[in-house]
Amino acid sequence: MSTQMYLAYDYPLLSVFWSMLWFFLWIMWFILLFRIIIDIFRDDELGGWAKAGWLLFVILLPFLGVLVYVIVRGKNMGRREVNQARAQQEAFDSYIRQAAGTGTSSVDELAKLSEIRARGDITDEEFRRAKELVLSGQGQSSGPSSGSGTATSGQ
């Protein structure tokens, strides 16, 4: 071992752990910095100049700027994030409800047509045409309404 140097001897295990700690703290610092920058733009209560001032403060003096921002606006930062998550979840849920509720099946359409024919609102010929439209897939929602509209206006 006189001329050859081994990395394990020059860099002991404790130094590896210490380096890993600093590396992950550095990554966490950047995550916090970017979350604060995103929060600055997300906040609707701040005006344009206030956003510009906070952004300059956080970018020009990052450690002090982030520390002051978290102290001053940290509680509202969490609330804004929760509100945004709720709004996204509600939008997703309403989209799912809307997408699932728009398609009525052919069986439902035929049942509605049968009820309309049983009440006497449409004739057998109108029922047959609407049934053909529903079964062909062309008039999922227009079959019963168009047939009943012509029959009731004629009475």
Side-chain angles (χ1 to χ4, degrees), residues 5 13 17 20 33-34 43 46-47 54 57 72 74 77-78 81 88 93 97-98 105 123 135 140 143 148 154:
M5 298 183 72
L13 187 61
F17 288 134
M20 286 176 25
L33 181 68
F34 289 127
D43 191 8
L46 287 177
W54 274 113
F57 187 44
V72 173
M77 183 176 166
E81 192 166 335
Q88 284 179 341
D93 290 344
R97 276 191 230 98
Q98 183 240 349
S105 67
T123 64
L135 292 177
Q140 286 288 326
S148 65

Side-chain angles (χ1 to χ4, degrees), residues 80-148:
R80 281 188 294 277
E81 192 166 335
V82 167
N83 289 341
Q84 183 191 16
R86 283 185 185 151
Q88 284 179 341
Q89 185 66 40
E90 288 173 5
F92 179 73
D93 290 344
S94 68
Y95 171 74
I96 294 296
R97 276 191 230 98
Q98 183 240 349
T102 56
T104 57
S105 67
S106 300
V107 176
D108 293 337
E109 292 288 332
L110 289 175
K112 289 177 187 176
L113 279 173
S114 296
E115 289 175 14
I116 293 171
R117 184 180 64 168
R119 285 192 312 242
D121 291 340
I122 60 173
T123 64
D124 288 336
E125 179 62 28
E126 289 173 331
F127 174 76
R128 185 187 61 74
R129 282 186 289 166
K131 183 173 118 178
E132 288 174 2
L133 282 174
V134 168
L135 292 177
S136 68
Q138 295 173 359
Q140 286 288 326
S141 60
S142 63
S145 61
S146 64
S148 65

Side-chain angles (χ1 to χ4, degrees), residues 12 16 31 114 148 150:
V16 171
I31 290 172
S114 296
S148 65
T150 57

